[in-house]
Amino acid sequence: MSKKTTVKAGSKPSAKKAAKPTAKAATKTSKKVTTKADNFGGLSEEILLRMHDLMVKSRVLEERLIKIYKAGEAYFWIGGPGEEAFGVPLGMLANKGQGLAHDWFHLHYRCTPTLLALGMTMIDSIRLIMNRSTDPSTGGRNFANHYCFPQWNVAPVTSPIEVQYPIACGTAHAQKRFGKKAISIVTGGDAGTAEGDFASALILASRKGQELPILITVQNNKFGISTPFEGQHGETNIADRARAFNIRSRVINGNDPVESYLAMQEEMEYIRKTGKPSFIEAHVTRLYGHSSADGANKKTHMFDPVFEFENRLIKAGIISEKAAKKIWEIYEEEGVLAQEKVRQEPSPTSESVWDHVFVGNENADWRKF
Amino acid sequence: MASVAQAIRMALHYGEKNLGVKDIFGQDVGAPLGGVFTATQGLKNAWNSPLDERGIIGMAMGIAMTGDRCVAEIQFADYIFNTIDLLKIAGNTLWCTNGQVELPMVVMTPVGAGIFGSVYHSHSFDAWASRLPGWKIVMPSNPLDAYGLMLSAIKDPNPVLYLKSKALMRHKGDELIPGEPVDEKELKAMIDKPVQNAEGWKPRWPDLEEYMVPIGKGKITHSGEHITVVTYSRMVHLCDEVAAKLAQEGISVEVIDLRSIYPYDWQLIKSSIEKTGRVLFVNEDTEVTNFGEHLAYRATQELFYQLMARPRVLAGKNLPGIGLHPNLEKNSVPQLTDIELAIREVVAEVP
């Protein structure tokens, strides 16, 4: 996306600049706080446009991944379209970097929006789903959206759900010792809170005098594959369970990027200031089902946070319809080009199965002991 | 001489002083108890976790992800089973991330029978552990190896399972740990917490030296010519005792202490079998499916025409548990008489 594609209604974007997709351009718009009737919680236009840009990018990417799966160019899809309004602000707010001075991320497989906000390129996500050796997360070894980016402290996403919660307590423990105000951030789904690992994390994070700097989040989309929320939960709010451990907690509308941004900003500041945990339950939409196992078809009757936010920005005069449409087009083109490029990229070799069983490619094959 | 528990304690002290170990944790690992077998008494970085095996393993993985070194304990291996999928994930993390994320963590846990611990304090874990690719697995049989293998485990950049025999925790070896005082009473006064009036107690650590037992290297504990017995951990001592007895009858038994389950010292096993032509694999994990079976399979595949007798595995019986009464325990895991009988059978076999 070019700088011009994000300007207000009435502007004429330059075709030349529009052909150079770069989401960073959105940050070059006005930094003043909007004074419209909808004041977006006081967030600057720069932040709002950046969020919109990344939300669109994430949606386009996830839809591209589904298309790749349905075209038979991938074995499996799982993802998080519908969670952009929560995931994008999460990635934007974090202290990004490698090492204990920066935040750690323990994400699940619905976190493409967060990864894009951290700086992941579309093509790297496509490399993952098309299991190429160029896939930076797994080298073609794992499923779609099982991301891993050590350069941003993004821990490997696992297939078993909720195991990331106590692991996040481990990084938070090391961060607390390091003492530079960095935090660990963990995400997961509502159905996964049935797992014992969720309770483990609440306990580990909240022990008196040993509280951990960790933002514990649950994205509640009201479904565990095909089991509705009521089929698993007796509690009114999952966040209430955190209160039982004296963990500060709140329920937010995760479909509203403004509310998400402000809530997470506040909780992150609280954690950095106190060294104590905080809990956010975010209500989100599951727009395309759980995975390719249940069809990955769009549910058109559901609230769509990307379109709703876009309409809100248009209505407020922060972006034009034309400029918004252009963003979708640019990312669609980027996705298509990335898919075409990845098709040409190499697959992992058969011999590479023995690579990285142990550090330094130490012999792992017992036949060779 | 130090006991195995004292040796582990000294190794952990060496680790936190010299090898960057920042956390030694698990249930009752920290003060005041210092571990149910006292293996973590007086350590600077030892702390008590909640009673939560999955939390312990998950936390260890997180700490290791940051690059900090940790040693986590599951109080008894019998309770490690509900962490199996976490152990699987820890073992596959490096592979799944194409070499990007290392987990330099040690998990230690007491294993095996021999203390009349009944159904949930007698489990073995070596065969289970051998099916966790990505882990290294060690099982010391004496204090010096316990010390040296712990230092190697801490230094190793991969996850390492350190399986310590419950029955050997009070076992004393015949070799000094480098830096250990010769007088065991002196050592006790320095590093054992007093049973009474322990308030304010702090250990006085000996000036320990680095001593590494390489992971993957076994050791011949009894040389012989007629049969090779491959074993590890507590069973080493039983096999050595039988070997000494049979030597008086002219039956020459070579006993190999494997020390590491994975990677394992095949070259040592192979050269010994090539010499003796006969082999017995002894351990106390259940016989179906047993790690010794893998070794027997390999011996058959690679050394078939050099064998004078069928390879045999002597292991724990395939039972749901180990009963408390001595009659039940002794009829569940190999005893001296079982080992002696098995050796006699293999030696007597004629092609």
Coordinates of all heavy atoms in Angstrom, one line a residue, chain A residues 100 104 106 136-139 141-142 148 150 155-156 158 160 163 166-167 169-171 173-174 177 197 200 203-204 207 212 353 355-359 362 364 366-367 369, chain B residues 22-23 47-48 50 52 54-55 58-59 61-63 65-66 68 86 89 93-102 134-136 157-158 262-264 266-267 294 297-298:
Chain A
L100 N 15.7 -11.2 26.4 CA 14.9 -11.0 27.5 C 14.5 -9.5 27.8 O 13.6 -9.2 28.5 CB 15.6 -11.5 28.8 CG 15.6 -13.0 28.9 CD1 16.6 -13.4 30.0 CD2 14.3 -13.5 29.2
W104 N 7.9 -11.6 25.0 CA 7.8 -12.9 24.4 C 6.4 -13.2 24.0 O 5.4 -12.8 24.7 CB 8.2 -14.0 25.5 CG 9.7 -14.3 25.3 CD1 10.7 -13.7 25.9 CD2 10.2 -15.4 24.6 NE1 11.9 -14.3 25.6 CE2 11.6 -15.3 24.7 CE3 9.7 -16.4 23.7 CZ2 12.5 -16.2 24.1 CZ3 10.5 -17.3 23.1 CH2 11.9 -17.2 23.3
H106 N 3.6 -16.2 23.1 CA 3.2 -17.6 23.0 C 1.8 -17.7 22.4 O 0.8 -17.6 23.1 CB 3.3 -18.2 24.4 CG 4.6 -18.1 25.1 ND1 5.6 -19.0 25.0 CD2 5.2 -17.1 25.8 CE1 6.7 -18.6 25.6 NE2 6.5 -17.4 26.1
P136 N 10.3 -19.9 6.9 CA 11.2 -19.5 8.0 C 10.8 -20.1 9.3 O 11.6 -20.2 10.2 CB 11.2 -18.0 8.0 CG 9.9 -17.7 7.4 CD 9.6 -18.8 6.4
S137 N 9.6 -20.5 9.5 CA 9.1 -21.0 10.8 C 9.5 -22.4 11.0 O 10.0 -22.8 12.1 CB 7.6 -20.8 10.9 OG 7.2 -19.4 11.0
T138 N 9.3 -23.3 10.0 CA 9.4 -24.7 10.3 C 10.2 -25.5 9.2 O 10.4 -26.7 9.3 CB 8.1 -25.4 10.4 OG1 7.5 -25.7 9.2 CG2 7.1 -24.6 11.2
G139 N 10.6 -24.7 8.1 CA 11.3 -25.4 7.0 C 10.4 -26.4 6.3 O 11.0 -27.4 5.8
R141 N 8.0 -28.2 7.7 CA 7.8 -29.4 8.6 C 6.4 -29.4 9.3 O 6.0 -30.4 9.8 CB 8.9 -29.5 9.6 CG 10.2 -29.8 9.0 CD 11.3 -29.8 10.0 NE 12.5 -30.3 9.3 CZ 13.6 -30.8 10.0 NH1 13.6 -30.8 11.3 NH2 14.6 -31.3 9.3
N142 N 5.8 -28.2 9.3 CA 4.6 -28.2 10.1 C 3.4 -27.5 9.4 O 3.6 -26.9 8.3 CB 4.9 -27.5 11.5 CG 4.1 -28.1 12.6 OD1 3.1 -28.7 12.4 ND2 4.6 -27.9 13.8
C148 N 6.9 -19.5 13.9 CA 8.1 -19.4 14.9 C 9.0 -18.3 14.4 O 9.5 -18.5 13.3 CB 8.8 -20.7 15.0 SG 10.3 -20.6 16.0
P150 N 12.1 -16.5 16.1 CA 13.0 -16.2 17.2 C 13.4 -14.7 17.3 O 13.7 -14.2 18.3 CB 14.2 -17.1 17.0 CG 13.6 -18.2 16.2 CD 12.6 -17.6 15.3
A155 N 7.6 -17.7 20.2 CA 7.8 -19.1 20.5 C 7.0 -20.0 19.4 O 6.0 -19.5 18.9 CB 7.3 -19.5 21.9
P156 N 7.5 -21.2 19.2 CA 6.9 -22.0 18.2 C 5.4 -22.3 18.6 O 5.1 -22.7 19.7 CB 7.7 -23.3 18.1 CG 8.6 -23.2 19.3 CD 8.7 -21.8 19.7
T158 N 2.2 -24.5 18.8 CA 2.1 -26.0 18.9 C 0.7 -26.4 18.5 O -0.2 -25.7 18.6 CB 2.3 -26.5 20.3 OG1 1.4 -25.9 21.2 CG2 3.7 -26.1 20.8
P160 N -0.9 -29.2 20.0 CA -1.7 -29.4 21.2 C -2.1 -28.0 21.8 O -1.3 -27.1 21.9 CB -0.8 -30.1 22.2 CG 0.3 -30.7 21.3 CD 0.4 -29.7 20.1
V163 N -0.9 -25.7 25.8 CA 0.4 -26.0 26.4 C 1.3 -24.7 26.4 O 2.2 -24.6 27.2 CB 1.2 -27.1 25.6 CG1 0.4 -28.4 25.7 CG2 1.5 -26.8 24.2
P166 N 1.6 -22.6 30.4 CA 2.7 -22.7 31.3 C 4.1 -22.4 30.8 O 5.0 -21.9 31.5 CB 2.6 -24.1 31.8 CG 1.8 -24.8 30.8 CD 0.9 -23.8 30.2
I167 N 4.3 -22.6 29.5 CA 5.5 -22.3 28.8 C 5.8 -20.8 28.9 O 6.9 -20.3 29.2 CB 5.6 -22.8 27.4 CG1 5.5 -24.3 27.3 CG2 6.8 -22.3 26.7 CD1 5.4 -24.9 25.9
C169 N 4.7 -18.9 31.2 CA 5.2 -18.6 32.6 C 6.7 -18.8 32.8 O 7.3 -18.1 33.5 CB 4.4 -19.5 33.6 SG 2.7 -19.1 33.7
G170 N 7.2 -19.7 32.0 CA 8.7 -19.9 32.1 C 9.4 -18.7 31.5 O 10.4 -18.2 32.1
T171 N 9.0 -18.2 30.4 CA 9.7 -17.0 29.8 C 9.4 -15.8 30.7 O 10.3 -15.0 30.9 CB 9.2 -16.7 28.4 OG1 7.8 -16.5 28.3 CG2 9.7 -17.8 27.4
H173 N 9.1 -15.8 33.9 CA 9.9 -16.0 35.1 C 11.3 -15.5 34.7 O 12.0 -14.8 35.5 CB 9.9 -17.5 35.4 CG 10.9 -17.9 36.5 ND1 10.7 -17.8 37.8 CD2 12.2 -18.4 36.4 CE1 11.7 -18.2 38.5 NE2 12.7 -18.6 37.6
A174 N 11.8 -15.9 33.6 CA 13.2 -15.4 33.2 C 13.2 -13.9 33.0 O 14.2 -13.2 33.3 CB 13.6 -16.1 31.9
R177 N 13.3 -12.1 36.3 CA 14.7 -12.1 36.8 C 15.6 -11.1 36.1 O 16.4 -10.4 36.7 CB 15.3 -13.5 36.7 CG 16.7 -13.7 37.1 CD 17.1 -15.1 37.3 NE 16.7 -16.0 36.2 CZ 16.3 -17.2 36.3 NH1 16.3 -17.8 37.5 NH2 16.0 -17.9 35.2
D197 N -3.5 -27.2 31.5 CA -2.4 -26.3 31.4 C -2.9 -24.8 31.6 O -2.1 -24.0 32.0 CB -1.8 -26.4 30.0 CG -1.2 -27.8 29.8 OD1 -0.3 -28.2 30.5 OD2 -1.8 -28.5 28.9
S200 N -2.8 -24.4 35.2 CA -1.4 -24.4 35.6 C -0.8 -23.0 35.5 O -0.1 -22.5 36.4 CB -0.5 -25.3 34.8 OG -0.8 -26.7 35.0
I203 N -2.1 -20.5 38.2 CA -1.4 -20.8 39.4 C 0.0 -20.3 39.4 O 0.4 -19.5 40.3 CB -1.5 -22.3 39.8 CG1 -2.9 -22.7 40.1 CG2 -0.6 -22.6 41.0 CD1 -3.1 -24.2 40.1
L204 N 0.7 -20.6 38.4 CA 2.1 -20.2 38.3 C 2.3 -18.7 38.2 O 3.2 -18.1 38.8 CB 2.8 -20.9 37.1 CG 3.1 -22.4 37.2 CD1 3.4 -23.0 35.8 CD2 4.3 -22.6 38.2
R207 N 1.2 -16.7 42.2 CA 1.7 -17.1 43.5 C 2.1 -15.8 44.3 O 2.9 -15.0 43.7 CB 2.8 -18.1 43.5 CG 2.2 -19.5 43.0 CD 3.4 -20.4 42.7 NE 4.2 -19.9 41.7 CZ 5.5 -20.1 41.6 NH1 6.1 -20.8 42.5 NH2 6.2 -19.5 40.6
L212 N 4.0 -13.2 38.2 CA 4.8 -13.1 36.9 C 4.3 -12.0 36.0 O 3.1 -11.8 35.9 CB 4.8 -14.5 36.2 CG 5.4 -15.6 36.9 CD1 5.1 -16.9 36.1 CD2 6.9 -15.4 37.2
V353 N 15.3 -35.1 6.8 CA 14.6 -35.5 8.0 C 15.4 -35.7 9.3 O 15.0 -35.5 10.4 CB 13.8 -36.9 7.8 CG1 12.7 -36.8 6.9 CG2 14.8 -38.0 7.4
D355 N 18.0 -33.7 10.0 CA 18.5 -32.4 10.4 C 17.7 -32.0 11.7 O 16.5 -32.1 11.8 CB 18.3 -31.4 9.3 CG 19.2 -31.6 8.1 OD1 20.1 -32.5 8.2 OD2 19.0 -31.0 7.1
H356 N 18.5 -31.4 12.6 CA 17.9 -30.7 13.8 C 17.2 -31.6 14.8 O 16.3 -31.1 15.5 CB 17.0 -29.6 13.3 CG 17.7 -28.7 12.3 ND1 18.9 -28.1 12.5 CD2 17.3 -28.3 11.1 CE1 19.2 -27.4 11.5 NE2 18.3 -27.5 10.6
V357 N 17.5 -32.9 14.8 CA 16.9 -33.7 15.9 C 17.6 -33.3 17.1 O 17.0 -33.1 18.2 CB 17.2 -35.2 15.6 CG1 16.7 -36.0 16.8 CG2 16.4 -35.7 14.4
F358 N 19.0 -33.1 17.0 CA 19.8 -32.5 18.1 C 20.5 -31.3 17.6 O 20.6 -31.1 16.4 CB 20.8 -33.6 18.6 CG 20.2 -34.8 19.3 CD1 20.5 -36.0 18.8 CD2 19.4 -34.6 20.4 CE1 19.9 -37.2 19.4 CE2 18.8 -35.7 21.0 CZ 19.1 -37.0 20.5
V359 N 20.9 -30.5 18.5 CA 21.6 -29.2 18.2 C 22.9 -29.5 17.4 O 23.6 -30.5 17.7 CB 21.9 -28.5 19.5 CG1 22.8 -27.2 19.2 CG2 20.6 -28.0 20.2
E362 N 23.9 -33.1 15.3 CA 24.6 -34.2 15.9 C 23.8 -35.5 15.5 O 22.6 -35.5 15.3 CB 24.5 -34.1 17.5 CG 25.1 -35.2 18.2 CD 24.9 -35.1 19.7 OE1 24.8 -33.9 20.2 OE2 24.9 -36.1 20.4
A364 N 21.6 -38.4 14.9 CA 20.5 -38.8 15.7 C 20.0 -40.2 15.3 O 19.1 -40.8 15.8 CB 19.3 -37.9 15.5
W366 N 20.2 -44.0 15.1 CA 20.9 -45.0 15.9 C 21.6 -46.0 15.0 O 22.6 -46.7 15.5 CB 19.8 -45.8 16.7 CG 18.7 -46.4 15.9 CD1 17.5 -45.8 15.6 CD2 18.6 -47.7 15.3 NE1 16.7 -46.6 14.9 CE2 17.4 -47.8 14.7 CE3 19.5 -48.8 15.3 CZ2 17.0 -49.0 14.0 CZ3 19.1 -50.0 14.7 CH2 17.8 -50.0 14.0
R367 N 21.3 -46.1 13.7 CA 22.0 -47.0 12.8 C 23.5 -46.6 12.7 O 24.3 -47.4 12.2 CB 21.4 -47.0 11.5 CG 20.0 -47.6 11.5 CD 19.2 -47.2 10.2 NE 17.8 -47.5 10.3 CZ 16.9 -46.7 10.9 NH1 17.3 -45.6 11.4 NH2 15.6 -47.0 10.9
F369 N 25.3 -45.0 15.2 CA 26.0 -44.9 16.5 C 27.3 -45.7 16.4 O 27.2 -46.8 15.9 CB 25.2 -45.3 17.7 CG 24.0 -44.4 18.1 CD1 23.0 -44.8 18.9 CD2 24.0 -43.1 17.6 CE1 22.0 -44.0 19.3 CE2 22.9 -42.3 17.9 CZ 21.9 -42.7 18.8
Chain B
K22 N 20.3 -21.4 36.5 CA 19.6 -20.4 37.3 C 18.4 -20.8 38.0 O 17.9 -20.1 38.9 CB 19.2 -19.3 36.3 CG 20.4 -18.5 35.7 CD 20.0 -17.4 34.9 CE 21.2 -16.6 34.3 NZ 20.9 -15.6 33.4
D23 N 17.9 -22.0 37.6 CA 16.7 -22.5 38.3 C 16.9 -24.0 38.5 O 17.2 -24.8 37.6 CB 15.4 -22.3 37.5 CG 15.1 -20.8 37.4 OD1 14.6 -20.3 38.4 OD2 15.3 -20.2 36.3
W47 N 14.0 -24.0 44.2 CA 12.8 -23.4 44.6 C 11.6 -24.4 44.4 O 11.7 -25.3 43.6 CB 12.5 -22.1 44.0 CG 12.5 -22.0 42.5 CD1 13.5 -21.7 41.7 CD2 11.3 -22.1 41.6 NE1 13.2 -21.6 40.4 CE2 11.8 -21.9 40.3 CE3 10.0 -22.3 41.8 CZ2 11.0 -21.9 39.2 CZ3 9.1 -22.4 40.7 CH2 9.6 -22.2 39.4
N48 N 10.6 -24.2 45.3 CA 9.5 -25.1 45.2 C 8.4 -24.7 44.2 O 8.0 -23.5 44.2 CB 8.8 -25.2 46.6 CG 9.6 -25.9 47.6 OD1 10.5 -26.7 47.3 ND2 9.4 -25.6 48.9
P50 N 4.5 -25.3 42.4 CA 3.2 -25.9 42.8 C 3.3 -27.5 42.5 O 4.1 -27.9 41.7 CB 2.2 -25.2 41.9 CG 2.9 -24.0 41.5 CD 4.4 -24.3 41.4
D52 N 2.4 -29.7 40.5 CA 1.8 -29.7 39.2 C 2.9 -30.1 38.1 O 3.7 -29.3 37.7 CB 1.3 -28.2 38.9 CG 0.9 -28.0 37.5 OD1 0.7 -29.0 36.7 OD2 0.7 -26.9 37.1
R54 N 2.7 -30.9 35.0 CA 2.7 -30.2 33.7 C 3.2 -28.8 33.8 O 3.9 -28.3 32.9 CB 1.3 -30.3 33.1 CG 0.8 -31.7 32.8 CD -0.6 -31.7 32.1 NE -0.6 -31.0 30.8 CZ -0.2 -31.6 29.7 NH1 0.1 -32.8 29.6 NH2 -0.3 -30.9 28.5
G55 N 2.8 -28.2 34.9 CA 3.3 -26.8 35.1 C 4.9 -26.8 35.2 O 5.5 -25.9 34.7
G58 N 6.3 -27.4 31.6 CA 6.0 -26.3 30.8 C 6.9 -25.1 31.2 O 7.5 -24.4 30.3
M59 N 7.0 -24.9 32.4 CA 7.8 -23.8 32.9 C 9.3 -24.0 32.5 O 10.0 -23.0 32.1 CB 7.7 -23.7 34.5 CG 8.3 -22.5 35.1 SD 7.0 -21.5 35.6 CE 7.9 -20.1 36.4
M61 N 10.4 -25.5 30.0 CA 10.5 -25.3 28.5 C 10.6 -23.8 28.3 O 11.4 -23.3 27.4 CB 9.3 -25.9 27.8 CG 9.3 -27.4 27.7 SD 7.8 -28.1 27.2 CE 7.8 -27.6 25.5
G62 N 9.8 -23.0 29.0 CA 9.8 -21.5 28.8 C 11.1 -20.9 29.2 O 11.7 -20.1 28.5
I63 N 11.6 -21.4 30.4 CA 12.9 -20.9 30.9 C 14.0 -21.2 29.8 O 14.8 -20.4 29.5 CB 13.2 -21.5 32.2 CG1 12.3 -20.9 33.3 CG2 14.7 -21.2 32.6 CD1 12.3 -21.7 34.6
M65 N 13.7 -21.8 26.7 CA 13.5 -21.0 25.5 C 14.3 -19.7 25.5 O 14.7 -19.2 24.5 CB 12.0 -20.7 25.3 CG 11.4 -21.5 24.1 SD 9.7 -21.2 24.0 CE 9.2 -22.9 23.6
T66 N 14.4 -19.1 26.7 CA 15.0 -17.8 26.8 C 16.5 -18.0 26.8 O 17.3 -17.0 26.8 CB 14.6 -17.1 28.1 OG1 15.2 -17.8 29.2 CG2 13.1 -17.0 28.3
D68 N 18.1 -19.4 29.4 CA 18.5 -19.7 30.8 C 18.6 -21.2 31.0 O 17.7 -21.9 30.5 CB 17.6 -19.0 31.8 CG 17.8 -17.5 31.9 OD1 18.8 -17.0 31.2 OD2 17.1 -16.8 32.6
L86 N 4.0 -33.0 26.7 CA 4.9 -31.9 26.9 C 6.3 -32.4 26.6 O 7.1 -31.6 26.0 CB 4.8 -31.3 28.3 CG 3.5 -30.5 28.5 CD1 3.5 -30.1 30.0 CD2 3.4 -29.3 27.6
I89 N 6.7 -32.5 23.0 CA 6.9 -31.2 22.4 C 8.3 -30.7 22.6 O 9.0 -30.2 21.7 CB 5.8 -30.2 22.9 CG1 4.4 -30.6 22.5 CG2 6.2 -28.8 22.5 CD1 3.3 -29.9 23.2
T93 N 10.8 -29.7 19.5 CA 10.8 -28.2 19.3 C 11.9 -27.8 18.4 O 11.7 -27.0 17.4 CB 10.9 -27.5 20.6 OG1 9.7 -27.7 21.4 CG2 11.1 -26.0 20.4
L94 N 13.1 -28.3 18.6 CA 14.3 -28.0 17.7 C 14.0 -28.4 16.3 O 14.2 -27.6 15.3 CB 15.5 -28.6 18.2 CG 16.8 -28.3 17.4 CD1 17.3 -26.9 17.7 CD2 17.9 -29.3 17.6
W95 N 13.4 -29.6 16.1 CA 13.2 -30.2 14.8 C 12.1 -29.4 14.1 O 12.2 -29.0 12.9 CB 12.8 -31.7 15.0 CG 12.8 -32.4 13.7 CD1 13.9 -33.1 13.1 CD2 11.7 -32.7 12.9 NE1 13.5 -33.7 12.0 CE2 12.1 -33.5 11.8 CE3 10.3 -32.3 12.9 CZ2 11.3 -33.9 10.8 CZ3 9.5 -32.8 11.9 CH2 9.9 -33.5 10.8
C96 N 11.0 -29.1 14.8 CA 9.8 -28.5 14.3 C 10.1 -27.0 13.8 O 9.5 -26.5 13.0 CB 8.7 -28.4 15.2 SG 7.8 -30.0 15.4
T97 N 11.1 -26.4 14.5 CA 11.5 -25.1 14.1 C 12.7 -25.0 13.2 O 13.3 -24.0 13.0 CB 11.8 -24.2 15.4 OG1 12.9 -24.8 16.1 CG2 10.6 -24.2 16.3
N98 N 13.0 -26.2 12.7 CA 14.1 -26.3 11.7 C 15.4 -25.8 12.3 O 16.2 -25.1 11.6 CB 13.7 -25.5 10.4 CG 14.4 -26.1 9.2 OD1 14.7 -27.3 9.2 ND2 14.5 -25.3 8.1
G99 N 15.6 -26.1 13.5 CA 16.9 -25.8 14.2 C 16.9 -24.5 14.8 O 18.0 -24.0 15.3
Q100 N 15.8 -23.8 14.9 CA 15.9 -22.4 15.4 C 15.7 -22.3 17.0 O 16.3 -21.4 17.5 CB 14.7 -21.6 14.8 CG 14.8 -21.4 13.3 CD 13.7 -20.4 12.9 OE1 13.9 -19.2 12.8 NE2 12.6 -21.0 12.5
V101 N 15.0 -23.2 17.6 CA 14.7 -23.0 19.0 C 15.3 -24.2 19.8 O 14.9 -25.3 19.7 CB 13.2 -22.9 19.3 CG1 12.9 -22.8 20.8 CG2 12.6 -21.7 18.6
E102 N 16.3 -23.8 20.6 CA 17.0 -24.9 21.4 C 16.3 -24.9 22.8 O 15.9 -23.8 23.3 CB 18.5 -24.6 21.5 CG 19.2 -24.6 20.2 CD 20.7 -24.3 20.3 OE1 21.2 -24.1 21.4 OE2 21.3 -24.2 19.3
G134 N 14.6 -36.6 20.2 CA 15.0 -35.2 20.5 C 15.6 -35.1 21.9 O 16.2 -34.1 22.2
W135 N 15.3 -36.1 22.8 CA 15.8 -36.0 24.1 C 17.1 -36.9 24.2 O 17.2 -37.9 23.5 CB 14.8 -36.6 25.1 CG 13.7 -35.7 25.5 CD1 12.5 -35.5 24.9 CD2 13.6 -34.9 26.7 NE1 11.7 -34.6 25.5 CE2 12.4 -34.2 26.7 CE3 14.5 -34.6 27.8 CZ2 12.0 -33.3 27.6 CZ3 14.1 -33.7 28.7 CH2 12.9 -33.1 28.7
K136 N 18.0 -36.6 25.1 CA 19.0 -37.5 25.5 C 18.6 -38.0 26.8 O 18.0 -37.3 27.6 CB 20.4 -36.8 25.5 CG 20.8 -36.3 24.1 CD 22.2 -35.7 24.2 CE 22.7 -35.3 22.8 NZ 24.0 -34.7 22.8
P157 N 23.2 -28.8 25.0 CA 22.2 -27.8 24.5 C 20.8 -28.4 24.2 O 19.9 -27.7 23.8 CB 22.8 -27.3 23.2 CG 23.7 -28.4 22.7 CD 24.2 -29.1 24.0
N158 N 20.7 -29.7 24.3 CA 19.5 -30.4 24.0 C 18.8 -30.8 25.3 O 19.4 -30.8 26.4 CB 19.8 -31.7 23.3 CG 20.4 -31.5 22.0 OD1 19.8 -31.1 21.0 ND2 21.8 -31.8 21.9
Y262 N 20.0 -43.0 25.4 CA 20.0 -42.4 24.1 C 20.8 -41.1 24.1 O 20.4 -40.3 24.9 CB 18.6 -42.2 23.6 CG 18.5 -42.3 22.1 CD1 18.2 -43.5 21.4 CD2 18.8 -41.2 21.3 CE1 18.2 -43.6 20.1 CE2 18.7 -41.2 19.9 CZ 18.4 -42.4 19.3 OH 18.4 -42.5 17.9
P263 N 21.8 -41.0 23.3 CA 22.3 -42.0 22.4 C 23.0 -43.1 23.2 O 23.5 -42.8 24.3 CB 23.3 -41.2 21.5 CG 23.7 -40.0 22.3 CD 22.5 -39.7 23.1
Y264 N 23.1 -44.3 22.6 CA 23.6 -45.4 23.4 C 25.0 -45.8 22.7 O 25.2 -45.6 21.6 CB 22.7 -46.5 23.5 CG 22.2 -47.1 22.2 CD1 22.9 -48.1 21.5 CD2 20.9 -46.7 21.7 CE1 22.4 -48.7 20.4 CE2 20.5 -47.2 20.5 CZ 21.2 -48.2 19.8 OH 20.7 -48.7 18.7
W266 N 26.7 -48.2 21.1 CA 26.6 -49.4 20.4 C 28.0 -50.0 20.1 O 28.1 -51.2 20.1 CB 25.9 -49.2 19.0 CG 25.8 -50.5 18.2 CD1 26.5 -50.7 17.0 CD2 25.2 -51.7 18.5 NE1 26.2 -51.9 16.6 CE2 25.4 -52.6 17.5 CE3 24.4 -52.1 19.6 CZ2 24.9 -53.9 17.5 CZ3 23.9 -53.4 19.6 CH2 24.2 -54.3 18.5
Q267 N 29.0 -49.2 19.9 CA 30.3 -49.7 19.6 C 30.9 -50.5 20.7 O 31.5 -51.5 20.5 CB 31.3 -48.5 19.2 CG 30.9 -47.8 17.9 CD 30.7 -48.8 16.7 OE1 31.5 -49.7 16.6 NE2 29.7 -48.5 15.9
H294 N 15.0 -53.5 21.7 CA 15.6 -52.8 20.5 C 17.1 -53.2 20.4 O 17.5 -53.5 19.3 CB 15.5 -51.3 20.7 CG 16.5 -50.5 19.9 ND1 16.3 -50.4 18.5 CD2 17.6 -49.8 20.1 CE1 17.3 -49.7 18.0 NE2 18.1 -49.3 19.0
Y297 N 17.3 -56.7 19.1 CA 17.0 -56.7 17.6 C 18.2 -56.3 16.8 O 18.6 -56.9 15.9 CB 15.8 -55.7 17.4 CG 15.7 -55.3 15.9 CD1 15.1 -56.1 15.0 CD2 16.2 -54.1 15.5 CE1 15.0 -55.7 13.7 CE2 16.1 -53.7 14.2 CZ 15.5 -54.5 13.2 OH 15.4 -54.2 11.9
R298 N 18.9 -55.2 17.3 CA 20.0 -54.7 16.6 C 21.2 -55.8 16.6 O 21.9 -56.0 15.6 CB 20.5 -53.4 17.2 CG 21.6 -52.8 16.3 CD 21.9 -51.3 16.7 NE 22.8 -50.8 15.8 CZ 23.4 -49.6 15.8 NH1 23.0 -48.8 16.8 NH2 24.2 -49.2 15.0

